[in-house]
Amino acid sequence: MSTSTRPNPTIRRKLIEVSLPLDEINAASAKEKSIRHGHPSTLHLWWARRPLAACRAVLFAQLVDDPSAWPDRFPTEEAQEAERNRLHDVIRAMVPWDASGNETILNAARWEIARSVAWNIGEEPPPRENGEAILRYLQEKAPPVYDPFSGGGSIPLEAQRLGLRAYGSDLNPVAVLIGKALVEIPPKFAGQAPVNPDARAEAARGGAWQGRGAQGLAEDVRYYGKWMRDEAEMRIGHLYPKAALPDGSEATVIAWLWARTVRSPDPAAKGAMVPLVSSFMLSTKEGKKAWAEIVHDANASDGWRFVVRTGELSKDDEIQLKNGTKTGRGANFLCALTGAAISGDWIKAEGVAGRLGERLMAVVAEGKRTRLYLSPRNSDELVAKSAIPKWLPEGEIANDPRALWVISYGLKTFASLFTPRQLVALTTFSDLVAEAREKVLQHAIAAGRSTASTPLHEGGTGATAYADAVATYLALGVSKIADYSSTIVLWSSSRDQAKSTFARQALPMAWDFAEVNAFAEAAGDFSVSIAGISRTLGDLPAMSGGVVYNINAATNSFPVRPVLISTDPPYYDNIGYADLSDFFYTWLRHSLADEWPGLFRRLVTPKREELIATPYRHGGKEGAEAFFMAGMKDALASIREASVKTEPLTIYYAFKQSEIEQEGVTSAGWASFLQAVVDTGLLIDGTWPVRTERGARTIASGTNALASSIVLVCRTRSDRSGVITRSDFLRALRRELPAARERLRDDGVSPVDMPQSIIGPGMGVFTRYASVLEDDDSVMSVRTALALINRVWEEIENALDADFDPETQVALAWYASHGFDTRPSGELITLANAKNISLSSLFQSEVFLDRRGKAQLTPRENLPAGWSPQTDGTLTVWECVQHVARTLEAKEGGQEAAARLVAGMGGKTEAARALAYRLFQIATDKGWSAEALVYNALADEWPTLERLASEIPNPVASPVAEETPRLL
């Protein structure tokens, strides 16, 4: 009997409620974001997708018991910690991307889950070495995993990889299709050979199919994708002519670079259309610089034309060229003919009237291991403008002023986002999906597949369903190339390649854009898109059944229950998924309306029900927040009822950059979300900071770039929970947070994440009770509780200062006021007197420098090389921290040299680590970003330094050779 059906099962603490190896999880998550080939995210774009490493680790820790839950098996704290470290090693092994296809590593993780499941129902798990038996056991007895906001499908996919039954649902049909393509379709055809003629001919020659998983399906997607690409080139290849090189030879065009034009408002321009160019620089690579210039030519249209130049540039000339014809932020330009100002209002009015144009600025061709930039010819524009699409994509762009700015310039329909040639290419490929499907159907029947006519969307698995499956991936391929085939695509002058439409979560206006060649075997070529999809498909688990439903989370009655919930809900007002995904929906709908009639029954994606706080949909900010709160409470109430009671549920929340910078941990979105969690009757048992975002993410003014993710660990609050007062709450916080802080620090929570992480144990206290009453007997809000948690945490941090030696206490107080600035010695005397230490002692300790009437904390660059804590006669915690920070950054330093310093600190090691956290907080509060980075990096490195230090048999600090410190 499973734990989900056994009456009154024992509730045991799970690993995620106690400890996680955060350093390794965060490192794997960050590294994964740079992986492209074969990664499931390359199947199709979805915004704010959770890294697989984080999802895999969270699910594992959610299901595996913490050793403290089994005191009879692990009776001492030492035994529990040893077992906990062993489980951490299992997580460390499975989170790297390379481990995602390693059956030995994954089977070890599956066995640990099976063991916890088995022990809880009085059984023993299958043998470790019997992978098939472990999978069967998990399928039968482990709780199924369900993500009711499944989005890009990361959580169901990782549940499937861990051998669990995987379910998901989403309101957005594009997200649902992506989820089905990842977890639902591949298992249906796992282990089956491809049906294309080449594969069948190989089989007829005795070449038995040796593929695994969905590799046969992947091979067919590749084959029929190539047929589509070749067929399209035969039909429309004439619209993509070669470029003529100066030596008379020809080269393949990579992209045509266009600039939008507008009629000049200056009467002196005589109504000429003039270019709106954000930058004239085409390539900024050293030794290969290329740029466009405007040449006045009476014989050219409107009296001017573009000419491409190459060669060397002065720094000032390059800066001027990078400014294009823009005069600042926004749509403000200069008339290239007269120098008159062109305002944003003028451009918007002309755009809305349909009077913006385009002029070809340059042609990018493929050279020998380089890009060639050529001046445009009249024939280049004539060919482009000769393209006439047979049909246009349907739908209007939503009027979302936060992220969809193109409509202000007259681009109101999805068709208006593409050039005629782009529309011809995309509509041709879209039409070819249906033709390819018919070929797949014929070949599947010829290959002996069942002739049952049940379609894929009704659960079919025969030839008809298989044709539907291949068509689904081909349509996703068309949708992918649309991302590189719009007039929002920019050209990267530093990388000599096109950026995608959704380089960020918006449709901003692009003034000069790249029109890529659909047959150049680069980004935007269908063959490139299909190759990525096929590789991803072939590497998917495809090992157990999975289902992704099209369900609104606020009204989800859960077709499967009880379930283990792990979910990544929308982030308040952060991303308008529905508005953005319409860009893809319009192409997918044309290709797959028959194959997935339920998903594509609407003209555009559903908007009104989307659970985000969108002011323009709900009559303003207050109405949007009320809608979000009500919907999220409904969704969480459904989640609470459907959850298996023996395991905690996990909820991801991603802070956006503006929240962290402007509002911190009491931001409106965060507080509103937590309020919904609390009001639903959930107890917040922990918060883990998972750094799931790339450091190189796109951040610009006004964007909603995500800064970090918090994983909330929740359980159902007991109906017998009591009521406490505000003062009781504060006392409980002061009693429990110090130990919680130490545990988080031991788990590798960095200083930058500590304010968010400490919310977990703080909210654990708050949500332990039915309510916390204010002094006037009103119920305390979550926002107030967050502020109090933050205040108590700061009190704890400040109280720890008293544990430092007097020199360090004085240095800390000075640093908080002046940093490393020089100030009158009188200020230092005042601080020294308060700590009962002499001024001379502060100078002799080398913590401070004597500036003859002035004083200064010794800058790190002035610290002596070769310093050793073992030979310092007046060793202070301050010196320990500053010397280790300096040594880590020194050219001849690094981890090993820094570890030797740590090894020699003796009893000051823990105090030094605590000081690094404290200094990070001070630097952050002061806005000293460079200093904050130093201490955050130091705290992150500290566990590694301690481990290395423990391996040094006779620690003797080695001098770090550097240049002689300069004197100030």
Side-chain angles (χ1 to χ4, degrees):
M1 183 181 294
S2 73
T3 57
S4 59
T5 58
R6 185 162 50 95
N8 301 318
T10 302
I11 306 298
R12 302 186 191 275
R13 286 180 70 75
K14 299 295 177 177
L15 186 62
I16 199 168
E17 296 176 285
V18 180
S19 180
L20 287 177
L22 275 179
D23 284 344
E24 289 80 5
I25 296 171
N26 287 340
S29 295
K31 186 176 181 180
E32 184 184 316
K33 287 284 187 171
S34 63
I35 296 169
R36 287 294 174 262
H37 299 299
H39 193 276
S41 64
T42 62
L43 181 76
H44 194 279
L45 172 67
W46 189 256
W47 299 270
R49 190 192 298 259
R50 296 304 99 214
L52 307 183
C55 298
R56 193 154 60 245
V58 167
L59 284 168
F60 175 88
Q62 211 174 330
L63 282 159
V64 171
D65 295 333
D66 184 76
S68 64
W70 294 96
D72 54 331
R73 297 175 184 267
F74 307 101
T76 66
E77 288 188 7
E78 291 75 13
Q80 291 171 13
E81 194 62 27
E83 175 65 3
R84 199 172 286 127
N85 288 333
R86 189 188 69 80
L87 292 173
H88 283 192
D89 286 341
V90 175
I91 295 176
R92 292 185 181 104
M94 75 175 182
V95 291
W97 168 245
D98 292 343
S100 62
N102 187 316
E103 280 299 303
T104 300
I105 292 174
L106 292 174
N107 195 62
R110 294 170 193 145
W111 184 85
E112 299 293 346
I113 298 172
R115 187 184 73 163
S116 286
V117 172
W119 284 3
N120 276 285
I121 57 177
E123 298 179 353
E124 287 297 321
R128 288 175 184 265
E129 65 278 5
N130 194 336
E132 292 185 4
I134 293 170
L135 283 173
R136 286 196 301 272
Y137 192 86
L138 291 174
Q139 290 286 299
E140 293 172 5
K141 301 195 176 182
V145 173
Y146 196 118
D147 179 2
F149 295 98
S150 56
S154 294
I155 292 171
L157 179 64
E158 290 313 299
Q160 195 173 66
R161 199 185 306 276
L162 289 173
L164 304 162
R165 289 167 287 171
Y167 297 90
S169 57
D170 205 285
L171 174 68
N172 192 295
V174 176
V176 173
L177 187 71
I178 294 171
K180 286 180 179 294
L182 286 173
V183 304
E184 185 175 319
I185 298 174
K188 289 180 179 291
F189 306 104
Q192 297 185 11
V195 303
N196 68 76
D198 287 357
R200 284 189 288 124
E202 177 67 20
R205 290 192 293 269
W209 175 247
Q210 299 295 322
R212 60 176 179 81
Q215 289 177 348
L217 176 59
E219 182 59 37
D220 276 337
V221 170
R222 184 181 297 110
Y223 177 90
Y224 295 102
K226 182 180 184 302
W227 174 83
M228 282 177 58
R229 196 263 189 194
D230 293 344
E231 186 68 19
E233 188 169 26
M234 284 193 296
R235 297 181 187 186
I236 62 172
H238 63 279
L239 295 175
Y240 297 87
K242 298 276 189 178
L245 302 183
D247 63 2
S249 62
E250 292 185 330
T252 299
V253 174
I254 300 298
W256 293 268
L257 306 185
W258 297 82
R260 297 191 196 274
T261 59
V262 69
R263 195 165 303 283
S264 174
D266 187 354
K270 299 179 181 178
M273 298 290 287
V274 295
L276 304 172
V277 181
S278 58
S279 174
F280 286 116
M281 289 302 300
L282 308 176
S283 176
T284 56
K285 289 188 174 180
E286 289 301 325
K288 300 178 181 180
K289 294 188 187 295
W291 63 94
E293 290 183 358
I294 296 173
V295 175
H296 294 268
D297 183 347
N299 295 321
S301 176
D302 293 305
W304 63 273
R305 57 187 172 88
F306 282 115
V307 175
V308 171
R309 311 287 190 196
T310 59
E312 297 300 317
L313 280 171
S314 70
K315 186 175 181 180
D316 289 342
D317 285 344
E318 185 169 342
I319 290 174
Q320 186 173 354
L321 286 166
K322 284 182 177 178
N323 291 331
T325 61
K326 282 180 66 67
T327 59
R329 295 182 62 183
N332 294 293
F333 291 83
L334 290 176
C335 174
L337 298 180
T338 68
I342 305 177
S343 70
D345 289 342
W346 172 267
I347 296 172
K348 288 178 181 178
E350 290 293 288
V352 170
R355 292 195 289 265
L356 294 182
E358 299 92 23
R359 182 77 70 89
L360 190 58
M361 185 164 60
V363 177
V364 188
E366 183 68 64
K368 293 181 180 179
R369 298 183 180 179
T370 189
R371 296 284 191 255
L372 303 175
Y373 291 87
L374 309 171
S375 298
R377 303 169 300 175
N378 288 337
S379 59
D380 294 324
E381 286 205 27
L382 290 174
V383 171
K385 293 179 179 179
S386 70
I388 302 175
K390 295 180 180 178
W391 56 271
L392 298 176
E394 299 178 283
E396 292 189 355
I397 301 170
N399 187 16
D400 180 358
R402 304 176 310 155
L404 307 182
W405 307 326
V406 291
I407 62 173
S408 297
Y409 301 93
L411 305 181
K412 296 182 178 181
T413 66
F414 289 104
S416 68
L417 296 178
F418 305 92
T419 67
R421 181 161 51 189
Q422 289 172 334
L423 287 170
V424 167
L426 290 169
T427 54
T428 298
F429 279 113
S430 293
D431 290 341
L432 283 168
V433 171
E435 295 183 37
R437 182 193 172 281
E438 288 304 310
K439 287 184 174 292
V440 177
L441 179 59
Q442 294 169 14
H443 296 157
I445 293 172
R449 296 288 177 93
S450 167
T451 57
S453 60
T454 306
L456 182 62
H457 74 269
E458 292 182 2
T461 57
T464 297
Y466 189 75
D468 292 343
V470 175
T472 297
Y473 294 102
L474 296 177
L476 286 168
V478 177
S479 184
K480 279 188 68 174
I481 63 171
D483 195 19
Y484 280 92
S485 303
S486 79
T487 60
I488 311 300
V489 169
L490 302 179
W491 184 255
S492 172
S493 61
S494 62
R495 301 178 65 185
D496 286 344
Q497 66 182 37
K499 300 179 182 180
S500 64
T501 298
F502 290 104
R504 52 179 170 170
Q505 294 146 188
L507 282 177
M509 189 62 175
W511 303 110
D512 37 272
F513 61 89
E515 182 187 15
V516 300
N517 186 345
F519 305 103
E521 298 183 2
D525 186 322
F526 189 68
S527 63
V528 174
S529 175
I530 286 297
I533 289 175
S534 299
R535 180 171 178 177
T536 295
L537 178 56
D539 290 341
L540 292 175
M543 62 192 307
S544 60
V547 182
V548 179
Y549 303 96
N550 187 199
I551 300 175
N552 182 357
T555 57
N556 194 348
S557 58
F558 285 85
V560 179
R561 61 167 61 199
V563 288
L564 178 86
I565 296 288
S566 185
T567 189
D568 179 24
Y571 310 125
Y572 194 60
D573 63 345
N574 194 37
I575 302 172
Y577 300 93
D579 291 341
L580 295 174
S581 63
D582 278 344
F583 178 91
F584 298 115
Y585 182 88
T586 187
W587 296 108
L588 291 167
R589 181 174 182 268
H590 181 84
S591 300
L592 297 175
D594 292 335
E595 286 71 25
W596 297 101
L599 293 181
F600 298 105
R601 63 185 182 274
R602 304 177 183 87
L603 187 61
V604 292
T605 62
K607 305 288 191 304
R608 189 78 187 176
E609 309 97 312
E610 185 180 33
L611 197 48
I612 58 172
T614 312
Y616 87 92
R617 284 190 202 146
H618 303 289
K621 188 175 181 180
E622 290 185 4
E625 181 172 354
F627 168 80
F628 176 83
M629 286 287 289
M632 189 56 70
K633 286 179 183 178
D634 289 342
L636 291 171
S638 298
I639 286 171
R640 179 177 180 270
E641 291 303 312
S643 297
V644 61
K645 304 310 176 188
T646 51
E647 273 76 28
L649 58 93
T650 55
I651 307 172
Y652 292 75
Y653 182 91
F655 283 89
K656 61 186 180 183
Q657 192 72 13
S658 60
E659 277 185 300
I660 296 297
E661 294 174 352
Q662 300 168 17
E663 302 176 81
V665 297
T666 59
S667 68
W670 177 228
S672 295
F673 184 79
L674 287 181
Q675 189 71 60
V677 172
V678 171
D679 290 348
T680 309
L682 291 172
L683 182 151
I684 298 172
D685 203 27
T687 51
W688 294 101
V690 181
R691 294 223 150 248
T692 59
E693 313 308 325
R694 277 184 305 188
R697 66 191 181 278
T698 301
I699 298 178
S701 178
T703 65
N704 287 330
L706 299 180
S708 63
S709 291
I710 293 293
V711 177
L712 284 82
V713 184
C714 303
R715 284 192 182 267
T716 300
R717 186 171 60 239
S718 170
D719 294 333
R720 297 187 297 273
S721 300
V723 176
I724 61 169
T725 64
R726 179 189 181 101
S727 57
D728 291 334
F729 176 51
L730 286 169
R731 276 192 292 272
L733 289 176
R734 293 183 178 114
R735 183 174 60 250
E736 298 183 31
L737 289 192
R741 173 191 177 277
E742 290 307 304
R743 182 81 227 185
L744 289 168
R745 202 179 69 175
D746 290 343
D747 281 332
V749 174
S750 63
V752 70
D753 291 320
M754 188 60 80
Q756 295 165 357
S757 301
I758 204 70
I759 287 171
M763 287 301 294
V765 175
F766 182 75
T767 56
R768 189 183 304 155
Y769 302 96
S771 61
V772 176
L773 300 182
E774 297 279 17
D775 294 338
D776 61 358
D777 287 339
S778 62
V779 176
M780 181 181 290
S781 69
V782 165
R783 187 155 192 165
T784 299
L786 289 174
L788 292 177
I789 293 166
N790 195 47
R791 191 179 84 186
V792 171
W793 173 69
E794 290 178 350
E795 289 176 6
I796 295 168
E797 293 290 295
N798 291 331
L800 291 172
D801 296 353
D803 295 334
F804 297 129
D805 54 77
E807 292 89 346
T808 298
Q809 290 184 46
V810 173
L812 195 57
W814 180 281
Y815 182 80
S817 298
H818 311 306
F820 285 94
D821 292 347
T822 301
R823 305 288 293 183
S825 296
E827 296 188 30
L828 185 57
I829 292 171
T830 301
L831 289 174
N833 289 339
K835 300 299 180 183
N836 196 27
I837 188 172
S838 68
L839 193 63
S840 60
S841 296
L842 293 174
F843 291 142
Q844 288 171 7
S845 70
E846 298 183 342
V847 172
F848 284 88
L849 293 178
D850 186 354
R851 298 298 191 191
R852 298 180 182 179
K854 294 185 177 181
Q856 177 192 21
L857 280 169
T858 304
R860 278 186 296 278
E861 62 267 24
N862 284 56
L863 295 173
W867 175 86
S868 168
Q870 296 163 306
T871 58
D872 191 316
T874 55
L875 183 63
T876 66
V877 176
W878 180 269
E879 291 173 284
C880 291
V881 168
Q882 300 302 330
H883 276 285
V884 173
R886 169 193 171 278
T887 302
L888 274 175
E889 296 180 339
K891 293 179 181 178
E892 303 301 324
Q895 281 188 343
E896 185 176 345
R900 288 189 174 275
L901 298 184
V902 172
M905 289 178 189
K908 292 188 182 294
T909 304
E910 277 304 303
R913 186 181 183 187
L915 179 60
Y917 277 76
R918 185 78 178 96
L919 290 173
F920 168 83
Q921 192 58 49
I922 292 172
T924 300
D925 292 343
K926 293 289 185 179
W928 303 334
S929 57
E931 279 287 291
L933 286 172
V934 168
Y935 299 122
N936 190 62
L938 178 59
D940 279 348
E941 289 281 355
W942 204 270
T944 301
L945 298 180
E946 286 188 324
R947 178 178 57 78
L948 293 174
S950 68
E951 298 170 358
I952 299 174
N954 295 303
V956 177
S958 301
V960 179
E962 276 194 350
E963 68 272 12
T964 303
R966 67 179 187 275
L967 298 177
L968 298 181

